[in-house]
């Protein structure tokens, strides 16, 4: 009975560690992940040898140190199964894997005790202890780095720069165009997926008061801030009206990526008639990114639905539409995969959902990662921080860049 249980525990551990180890060694996205794969492969080999040694120690007695090898194999299985149990209880969703690793942990603890009770002969105990403790410390240190330190290491953030060029009149002098150059510079050593991007221009009417404005007027301006996406400044003489959306579009391809130390640049053009009623145009550019060493984005990042025409959208989108005076949403989605085999198998499938919101008074783009069916649930701040850290989500914002139109309108 004891022999059968020990063999089952060791062989089961061998199969699981070999499966995870081979996948991580070949496909993990980080160097520590590849090291984890190598460690798991070494563990699977050790437990396999331990299973053979247990058989010899119990039945054949051909090898003098088979008991020692069996003890090392069962102890290694106990250490590894315990760490994997902690990992699946901390981050895993699969109750099947949690139960499996719990059973293997209990079984390997009992197996190590059962082998130890057989009065195993240990030659040169100090050397054996060092041979067991040192690899164990390496494995524990790598596990801690991969699962404790790495999620909170210092982030690398690309930088968006936006520059407004010289306005150009049309040949009939009835319209003008303002070129806008947008550049994304990835100065760090990490690559990033582009989950979403948006450029938009807001046009404002700005009258000049002949006298200093009263305090009550400043307060009235501030009261408007909560009603619109874009915030107008408070001014002693300028009288700002809520901005109107002039133009909006993505400026980077969805689902693509920017490599480390790489640069992406594009130029967009905003056109207006020379008789426009506006005095200022304000430009914004944003991007939602995810680190390529934290997830795998399964292409394509495809269009899913829209918020008008009776389409199914999360309830919070409906509430946002009502709050923002009829803002509309385009929704995109793609499957994401974890950056290591353990999480990939023990966590439920996740999907990234990108919401591109546009309305009369502004544009935003936002991305979230959640299990299928939970896209509409608003996460708590702690849950949002956990998801952001795990997948390396970054929101980049540049703007406002204000262009006054007095010099152009005076040419008419």
């Amino acid at each position: 009975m004891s022999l059968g249980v020990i063999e089952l525990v060791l062989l089961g551990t061998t199969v699981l560690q070999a499966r995870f180890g081979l996948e991580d060694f070949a496909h993990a996205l980080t160097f520590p992940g590849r090291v984890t794969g190598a460690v798991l492969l070494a563990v699977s080999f050790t437990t396999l040898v331990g299973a053979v040694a247990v058989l010899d120690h119990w039945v054949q007695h051909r090898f003098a140190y088979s008991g020692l090898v069996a003890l090392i194999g069962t102890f290694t299985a106990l250490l590894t199964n315990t760490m994997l149990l902690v990992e699946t209880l901390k981050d895993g969703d699969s109750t099947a894997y949690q139960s499996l690793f719990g059973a293997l942990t209990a079984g390997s603890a009992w197996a190590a005790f059962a082998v130890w009770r057989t009065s195993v002969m240990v030659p040169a105990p100090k050397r054996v202890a060092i041979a067991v403790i040192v690899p164990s410390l390496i494995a524990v240190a790598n596990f801690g780095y991969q699962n404790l330190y790495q999620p909170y290491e210092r982030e690398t953030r690309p930088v968006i720069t936006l520059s407004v060029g010289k306005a150009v009149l049309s040949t009939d002098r009835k319209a003008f165009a303002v070129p806008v150059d947008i550049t994304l510079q990835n100065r760090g050593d990490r690559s990033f997926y582009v989950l979403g991007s948006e450029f938009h221009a807001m046009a404002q009417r700005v009258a000049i008061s002949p006298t200093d404005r009263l305090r009550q007027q400043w307060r009235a301006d501030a009261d408007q801030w909560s009603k619109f996406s874009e915030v107008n400044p408070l001014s002693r003489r300028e009288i700002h009206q809520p901005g109107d959306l002039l133009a909006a579009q993505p400026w980077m391809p969805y689902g693509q990526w920017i490599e480390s130390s790489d640069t992406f640049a594009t130029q967009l053009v905003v056109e207006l008639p020379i008789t426009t009623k506006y005095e200022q145009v304000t430009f914004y550019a944003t991007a939602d990114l995810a680190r390529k060493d934290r997830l795998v984005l399964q292409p394509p990042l495809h269009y899913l639905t829209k918020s008008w025409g009776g389409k199914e959208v999360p309830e919070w989108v409906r509430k946002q539409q009502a709050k923002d005076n009829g803002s509309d949403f385009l929704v995109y989605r793609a499957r994401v995969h974890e950056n290591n085999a353990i999480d990939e198998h023990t966590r439920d499938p996740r999907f990234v959902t990108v919401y591109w919101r546009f309305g009369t008074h502004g544009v935003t783009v936002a991305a979230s990662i959640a299990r299928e069916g939970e896209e509409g649930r608003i996460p708590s701040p702690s849950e949002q921080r956990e998801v952001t850290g795990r997948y390396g989500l970054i929101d980049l914002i540049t703007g406002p860049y204000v262009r006054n139109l007095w010099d152009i309108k005076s040419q008419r």
Side-chain angles (χ1 to χ4, degrees):
M1 177 65 178
S2 297
L3 176 61
V5 173
I6 295 173
E7 289 291 310
L8 181 62
V9 169
L10 290 177
L11 292 177
T13 300
T14 297
V15 172
L16 277 178
Q17 309 312 323
R19 179 188 181 187
F20 292 152
L22 186 60
E23 290 187 23
D24 269 344
F25 186 71
H27 303 295
L29 301 182
T30 62
F31 177 73
R34 301 292 178 105
V35 173
T36 298
V39 170
L40 292 179
L41 287 175
V43 167
S44 68
F45 177 76
T46 302
T47 53
L48 179 61
V49 173
V52 176
V54 166
L55 192 63
D56 181 82
H57 183 63
W58 247 263
V59 180
Q60 298 176 329
H61 307 290
R62 293 181 180 178
F63 182 50
Y65 299 117
S66 59
L68 175 61
V69 175
L71 184 60
I72 293 175
T74 54
F75 176 78
T76 302
L78 172 60
L79 178 65
T80 310
N81 286 325
T82 300
M83 289 193 297
L84 290 177
L85 176 60
V86 171
E87 169 68 8
T88 54
L89 289 176
K90 173 178 172 285
D91 291 327
D93 303 310
S94 172
T95 55
Y97 272 106
Q98 291 173 354
S99 301
L100 177 59
F101 284 124
L104 287 175
T105 299
S108 54
W110 181 86
F113 177 73
V115 173
W116 177 76
R117 284 187 58 194
T118 60
S119 301
V120 174
M121 182 178 64
V122 181
K126 291 184 179 179
R127 294 182 180 179
V128 172
I130 292 174
V132 172
I133 292 173
V134 171
S136 300
L137 290 177
I138 293 174
V140 171
N142 179 73
F143 178 83
Y145 176 83
Q146 178 83 347
N147 295 280
L148 299 177
Y149 171 74
Q150 191 184 22
Y152 302 100
E153 68 177 329
R154 183 173 60 87
E155 295 287 352
T156 58
R157 296 179 64 88
V159 176
I160 299 176
T161 56
L162 187 153
S163 62
V164 181
K166 182 179 180 181
V168 178
L169 286 172
S170 63
T171 55
D172 60 5
R173 306 184 68 85
K174 292 183 178 180
F176 63 92
V178 179
V180 181
D181 293 298
I182 307 175
T183 303
L184 177 66
Q185 293 179 303
N186 185 10
R187 301 168 180 170
D189 57 356
R190 299 288 189 270
S191 300
F192 292 87
Y193 287 108
V194 179
L195 302 181
S197 68
E198 63 86 15
F199 161 80
H200 71 278
M202 301 294 294
Q204 292 93 19
R205 300 182 66 178
V206 184
I208 304 299
S209 173
T211 59
D212 287 350
R213 304 173 69 228
L214 300 176
R215 182 181 182 185
Q216 290 84 348
Q217 293 172 308
W218 288 47
R219 287 179 173 178
D221 290 345
D223 283 339
Q224 292 185 347
W225 290 1
S226 62
K227 303 175 184 178
F228 306 105
S229 300
E230 316 300 333
V231 175
N232 291 322
L234 298 178
S235 174
R236 184 176 297 274
R237 290 298 183 100
E238 293 180 335
I239 305 173
H240 288 264
Q241 300 297 321
D244 296 324
L245 181 63
L246 185 62
Q249 67 182 87
W251 58 276
M252 294 185 71
Y254 286 11
Q256 300 300 309
W257 57 84
I258 180 169
E259 300 290 355
S260 60
S261 303
D262 199 2
T263 299
F264 177 89
T266 187
Q267 184 180 82
L268 304 174
V269 176
V270 177
E271 298 179 348
L272 275 170
I274 198 73
T275 56
T276 180
K277 62 183 179 180
Y278 301 110
E279 282 76 35
Q280 290 181 0
V281 177
T282 307
F283 304 98
Y284 301 81
T286 65
D288 272 34
L289 309 178
R291 284 175 51 163
K292 281 189 68 180
D293 61 338
R294 300 287 180 87
L295 58 81
V296 175
L297 185 64
Q298 179 177 306
L301 181 55
H302 63 279
Y303 166 76
L304 181 67
T305 187
K306 58 187 179 183
S307 61
W308 63 93
K311 299 294 184 179
E312 287 294 329
V313 293
E315 181 61 27
W316 70 266
V317 171
R318 300 291 187 196
K319 292 180 179 179
Q320 192 71 30
Q321 280 187 295
K323 178 182 177 181
D324 292 348
N325 299 320
S327 292
D328 292 313
F329 289 77
L330 294 175
V331 184
Y332 300 81
R333 183 170 297 168
R335 171 80 157 87
V336 299
H337 297 277
E338 307 292 334
N339 70 345
N340 65 85
I342 298 173
D343 286 343
E344 179 68 14
H345 289 287
T346 61
R347 289 170 60 85
D348 292 338
R350 258 67 174 178
F351 293 82
V352 59
T353 307
V354 180
Y355 300 92
W356 212 86
R357 184 195 67 80
F358 61 96
T360 306
H361 298 294
V363 180
T364 59
V365 63
S368 66
I369 296 179
R371 289 183 286 192
E372 188 172 15
E374 295 186 355
E375 299 86 356
R377 187 177 70 86
I378 300 177
S380 65
S382 61
E383 291 175 325
Q384 186 60 45
R385 287 193 298 269
E386 194 276 333
V387 171
T388 299
R390 169 179 287 276
Y391 298 108
L393 301 180
I394 294 178
D395 298 329
L396 301 179
I397 301 173
T398 188
Y401 286 77
V402 180
R403 174 65 161 89
N404 194 289
L405 304 181
W406 290 353
D407 60 328
I408 303 173
K409 294 173 67 174
S410 66
Q411 300 182 43
R412 62 182 174 178

